[in-house]
Amino acid sequence: MGLRWCLIFGLTLGLFTSWTLSELIKHQQRVQEEFNNWWRHEVFYQIYPRSFQDSNGDGIGDLNGITSRLQYFVDTGITAVWLNPIFQSPMADFGYDISDYRAIQPEYGTLADFDQLIATAKALGIKVILDFVPNHSSDKHEWFIKSVAREPGYEDFYIWENGTVTEDGDRVPPNNWISVFSGSAWEWNEEREQYYLRQFTKGQPDLNYRNPAVLQAMDDILIYWLNRGVAGFRIDAVNYIYEDEELRDEPLSGTTSDLNSPDSLEHIYTRNQPEDYTLVQHWRQLLDNYSANNGGPLRIMMLEAYADLKLLMDYYEDPQGVQGAQFPFNFGFITELNENSTAQDFVFNIEKWLIYMPVGHTANWVMGNHDNPRVASRYGAKAVDAMNMLLMTLPGIAITYYGEELGMEDYRDISYEQTVDQPACDAGDVDYKWISRDPERTPMQWNDEKSAGFSSNASTWLPVNPNYQELNLRAQLRATRSHYKVYQSLLKFRKLRVLQEGSFTAKALSRQVFALKRELKGYGTVLTIINVSNRTQQVDVSDFIHLPNRLTLAVVGVSSQHREGERLKPAEINLAPYEGLVITLKVHK
Ligand SMILES: *[C@@H]1O[C@H](CO)[C@@H](O)[C@H](O)[C@H]1NC(C)=O
Ligand SMILES: *[C@@H]1O[C@H](CO)[C@@H](O)[C@H](O)[C@H]1NC(C)=O
Ligand SMILES: *[C@@H]1O[C@H](CO)[C@@H](O)[C@H](O)[C@H]1NC(C)=O
Ligand SMILES: *[C@@H]1O[C@H](CO)[C@@H](O)[C@H](O)[C@H]1NC(C)=O
Ligand SMILES: *[C@@H]1O[C@H](CO)[C@@H](O)[C@H](O)[C@H]1NC(C)=O
Ligand SMILES: CC(=O)N[C@H]1CO[C@H](CO)[C@@H](O)[C@@H]1O
Ligand SMILES: CC(=O)N[C@H]1CO[C@H](CO)[C@@H](O)[C@@H]1O
């Protein structure tokens, strides 16, 4: 539907159904949003600032480092990035424990550096999204210090409760809630003589969003960063923000007898509370208002919530049609599928999201992030190109974690002494290895020089993966074929109208091979075929397509026997183990 037609339709409806002016404005905003749809086909590149580029030789990545690498995104074809937290923090959880929401962590730089980053990015046409961590603050935050001291205005910034004392004089917390890292979620504070709620570590007290002053403070922080030029926010752990107001005990799950384990409870009173949705809707309004009042691109919101599919979908839009985030992250490729998944598993999981997504919204696909092993380690190094082909030819938004364009691998052999991820440190020197998230957070591998070109310091906050000698950007730029070059072609390819607007069909051709089809009348067809098995496979796609004599290979992987431009016979397409092929049929720009 064209913009003008929509406006006329809206105005007419307004006249005949006696809409209020504000309803009409709201409708027009939505039409405007359809029009300003920059984010709907975007590839968002996730930068882990600590590991991307160090500019001052302290072995830690920083903002000036990112600024110095912005041209890389232009060369790659990336026009939007999202940054893990850069705010002032005691770093108990590498920035997810914020002590000042308006200040930059000194080792990452200054506000002036941040402004420079935004200005340079803007000049290069790159949008920047910040990570917003509303689920708690650090216990070093001035709000918490003031709240402990019961300073007027701050008494109820956090969730304080007395608990009870038994006949034997033992203190008992207010209820049975368990922290995500095990043990009671309540921490006794000697000074205030009350318990505070903390669903994560004791240094991360939960904010009390039922206090309007807390909500206002958070709104102000969003506005503060919007005014500095960010294009939106990735909101962390949104389903943990509110808890049951009556503090009811959670029922036992019956899955473990360890009562200190978070798995021992069904989290019906601490996660996905109705108010979490209302809050997201409120922030959506704030962002929409800001965009309408300040011009420029629509400022957007993407949500992190590891939740049930149906609960997740209500963050797009609730059952009453109230708009939430532009999208909640789809973690299906991380949590539901792995190296052993069959072609049917892939098709089923892809379709599942599309089936449950409310009408008119945009799908998204997260291939990796800072909390999970890398693609090369989850699906195998051979599958890197195929997974990027999949990601880039699916409908909607693609999300790439830094280094995945090179096929970087987890560095699992980090010693216990060098381990810095808190849950891994807590797990002890035997179990740490498979819990640690350090292996997927090692420095970006730019070249084969000292510290992989990440830092001038030979010692870095996490060791560089020793495979950087062979696996690095420079080597991949020099090679005739490389993961990076495949990724770059895919990004160019994505600009085709058929991949932006085309219809979508997925089909398992066998247990081992599946195909995706994108079609747009007048703009041709794109077919992606992926072999998820460790054996060579031959497939017949004749039944799946209409123009069988015109199959041309558009993108092939690094170790493919095929070459770009090759013509294929639909009845006998051969795929090497874990090979992916992107094929075009009569495609136009
Ligand atoms: C090099 O990095 C280490 C941390 O890995 C740090 O202790 C040291 O101070 C750094 N050197 C310089 C010159 O900053
Ligand atoms: C909590 O304890 C304090 C001091 O013992 C008492 O004054 C206050 O009334 C208690 N609050 C509630 C809600 O029971
Ligand atoms: C957005 O703007 C509308 C209309 O001006 C106003 O009613 C609403 O309170 C605003 N919401 C936010 C969160 O700013
Ligand atoms: C895949 O299967 C192999 C062999 O059964 C097993 O060792 C491995 O743990 C499986 N991987 C995953 C991620 O389930
Ligand atoms: C393929 O995978 C199966 C099941 O994991 C395994 O038994 C077999 O040895 C593998 N074959 C090759 C060629 O790697
Ligand atoms: C889902 C989740 O764990 N979200 C964040 C809330 O806070 C913790 C602790 O800071 C973070 O680790 C999480 O990412
Ligand atoms: C397991 C399996 O289906 N193997 C087949 C894979 O494809 C080759 C031809 O490319 C056949 O020879 C195998 O039988």
Side-chain angles (χ1 to χ4, degrees):
M1 193 153 45
L3 175 68
R4 232 177 72 195
W5 199 83
C6 243
L7 283 174
I8 293 166
F9 182 67
L11 283 166
T12 318
L13 255 181
L15 286 175
F16 289 106
T17 59
S18 67
W19 278 8
T20 64
L21 186 59
S22 80
E23 278 169 337
L24 200 59
I25 289 170
K26 216 183 272 172
H27 180 77
Q28 285 178 4
Q29 271 176 2
R30 211 156 144 56
V31 171
Q32 191 60 35
E33 181 203 328
E34 289 296 323
F35 194 66
N36 289 345
N37 62 357
W38 69 270
W39 53 274
R40 283 180 186 257
H41 309 289
E42 200 67 27
V43 177
F44 289 93
Y45 184 99
Q46 178 183 352
I47 297 177
Y48 196 71
R50 224 175 160 72
S51 294
F52 199 64
Q53 181 65 56
D54 173 18
S55 73
N56 61 0
D58 65 357
I60 298 170
D62 47 44
L63 297 179
N64 286 339
I66 296 171
T67 306
S68 74
R69 291 290 187 184
L70 287 171
Q71 182 61 38
Y72 172 62
F73 298 118
V74 178
D75 299 342
T76 308
I78 298 280
T79 49
V81 297
W82 83 261
L83 272 54
N84 285 96
I86 52 172
F87 314 108
Q88 190 179 301
S89 157
M91 292 284 158
D93 191 19
F94 290 107
Y96 283 97
D97 47 331
I98 294 171
S99 53
D100 186 344
Y101 284 95
R102 293 169 191 252
I104 302 288
Q105 171 72 359
E107 60 201 352
Y108 296 154
T110 62
L111 274 174
D113 297 337
F114 179 80
D115 292 341
Q116 183 62 46
L117 165 62
I118 295 287
T120 314
K122 194 173 177 200
L124 294 172
I126 298 163
K127 297 190 175 67
V128 179
I129 306 274
L130 288 187
D131 204 346
F132 185 58
V133 190
N135 61 348
H136 44 240
S137 77
S138 162
D139 61 350
K140 308 284 188 297
H141 197 290
E142 62 160 337
W143 294 341
F144 189 70
I145 294 164
K146 288 180 175 173
S147 196
V148 167
R150 294 182 195 269
E151 250 186 58
Y154 293 91
E155 302 99 317
D156 299 326
F157 251 59
Y158 296 83
I159 299 171
W160 294 101
E161 287 293 328
N162 282 349
T164 50
V165 179
T166 64
E167 283 176 14
D168 303 340
D170 292 335
R171 255 180 222 302
V172 181
N175 65 24
N176 75 344
W177 295 351
I178 307 264
S179 134
V180 167
F181 299 128
S182 96
S184 175
W186 297 93
E187 193 71 29
W188 181 255
N189 180 276
E190 282 298 342
E191 188 182 337
R192 179 156 157 157
E193 297 193 309
Q194 273 190 312
Y195 282 101
Y196 63 88
L197 180 69
R198 49 98 178 174
Q199 293 203 68
F200 292 88
T201 71
K202 66 179 179 188
Q204 297 167 314
D206 278 54
L207 286 156
N208 175 17
Y209 275 85
R210 290 205 173 79
N211 177 350
V214 169
L215 194 55
Q216 187 59 53
M218 285 302 179
D219 287 358
D220 292 348
I221 289 160
L222 293 177
I223 302 279
Y224 172 84
W225 291 107
L226 288 169
N227 285 341
R228 297 197 102 94
V230 306
F233 302 93
R234 175 256 186 203
I235 303 195
D236 184 69
V238 78
N239 52 333
Y240 287 78
I241 295 179
Y242 282 91
E243 300 80 23
D244 181 41
E245 198 165 10
E246 296 171 40
L247 306 177
R248 282 173 283 192
D249 276 352
E250 291 189 322
L252 297 179
S253 67
T255 56
T256 167
S257 55
D258 176 5
L259 292 182
N260 276 323
S261 161
D263 297 338
S264 68
L265 300 177
E266 275 183 52
H267 301 291
I268 58 170
Y269 294 130
T270 54
R271 296 189 198 162
N272 297 300
Q273 299 300 294
E275 295 95 331
D276 291 337
Y277 294 93
T278 319
L279 180 62
V280 168
Q281 292 158 3
H282 164 78
W283 281 334
R284 170 61 177 268
Q285 271 204 9
L286 183 147
L287 293 176
D288 284 356
N289 284 3
Y290 190 92
S291 309
N293 297 335
N294 294 275
L298 190 79
R299 312 315 193 273
I300 64 158
M301 183 172 34
M302 41 179 104
L303 303 184
E304 180 207 50
Y306 285 90
D308 226 50
L309 189 64
K310 287 190 199 174
L311 293 174
L312 205 51
M313 291 301 173
D314 289 348
Y315 285 110
Y316 269 119
E317 172 185 319
D318 77 4
Q320 283 72 45
V322 182
Q323 299 299 303
Q326 267 71 21
F327 58 97
F329 282 141
N330 172 1
F331 292 126
F333 289 126
I334 296 175
T335 57
E336 308 283 322
L337 298 163
N338 61 47
E339 55 182 341
N340 298 327
S341 302
T342 63
Q344 289 98 333
D345 293 333
F346 273 87
V347 172
F348 178 73
N349 274 285
I350 290 165
E351 293 283 12
K352 204 164 68 169
W353 186 272
L354 297 172
I355 288 167
Y356 280 99
M357 183 172 72
V359 172
H361 286 269
T362 304
N364 77 95
W365 317 92
V366 183
M367 200 45 95
N369 65 23
H370 60 292
D371 287 330
N372 293 282
R374 287 182 173 277
V375 170
S377 304
R378 290 201 317 275
Y379 288 97
K382 281 185 186 159
V384 165
D385 294 328
M387 296 312 282
N388 278 331
M389 289 175 192
L390 175 60
L391 178 65
M392 295 306 168
T393 53
L394 282 165
I397 290 155
I399 296 142
T400 293
Y401 182 51
Y402 83 96
E404 299 289 33
E405 71 279 25
L406 309 178
M408 270 176 65
E409 294 168 12
D410 289 356
Y411 180 32
R412 201 49 71 183
D413 290 329
I414 296 175
S415 69
Y416 185 63
E417 288 66 40
Q418 285 178 303
T419 293
V420 292
D421 185 24
Q422 200 54 48
C425 296
D426 295 346
D429 59 1
V430 179
D431 294 332
Y432 81 97
K433 207 166 173 173
W434 295 102
I435 291 172
S436 182
R437 292 170 297 178
D438 291 340
E440 64 260 21
R441 297 176 177 179
T442 58
M444 175 74 173
Q445 293 166 210
W446 296 103
N447 57 42
D448 60 2
E449 289 168 29
K450 182 167 44 172
S451 292
F454 160 72
S455 173
S456 59
N457 192 333
S459 156
T460 52
W461 80 283
L462 275 179
V464 175
N465 189 326
N467 71 6
Y468 79 97
Q469 297 275 0
E470 295 79 40
L471 201 169
N472 61 67
L473 174 69
R474 187 188 288 161
Q476 297 201 11
L477 282 169
R478 285 180 182 161
T480 321
R481 279 184 176 186
S482 65
H483 295 313
Y484 178 72
K485 286 188 172 170
V486 170
Y487 187 86
Q488 223 179 6
S489 322
L490 286 167
L491 258 54
K492 285 203 191 100
F493 205 62
R494 249 179 99 77
K495 297 204 164 43
L496 289 174
R497 269 191 75 171
V498 54
L499 283 184
Q500 301 217 333
E501 296 160 38
S503 65
F504 173 78
T505 322
K507 187 178 178 185
L509 301 170
S510 70
R511 185 183 284 268
Q512 295 87 6
V513 181
F514 68 95
L516 313 178
K517 183 171 62 177
R518 304 292 307 277
E519 268 179 317
L520 186 64
K521 215 169 178 200
Y523 294 90
T525 302
V526 171
L527 198 63
T528 302
I529 309 182
I530 289 171
N531 176 4
V532 295
S533 80
N534 62 358
R535 303 217 180 129
T536 306
Q537 302 287 340
Q538 186 175 77
V539 292
D540 179 348
V541 297
S542 322
D543 292 344
F544 193 49
I545 48 171
H546 301 303
L547 292 161
N549 298 323
R550 299 179 185 257
L551 301 187
T552 309
L553 261 181
V555 188
V556 301
V558 171
S559 41
S560 180
Q561 299 295 312
H562 297 284
R563 55 183 169 70
E564 276 164 29
E566 183 183 328
R567 291 295 181 112
L568 297 173
K569 292 200 183 89
E572 37 189 282
I573 297 179
N574 291 306
L575 295 121
Y578 304 108
E579 175 161 33
L581 298 173
V582 179
I583 296 166
T584 53
L585 292 86
K586 286 193 79 169
V587 161
H588 305 283
K589 275 198 177 166

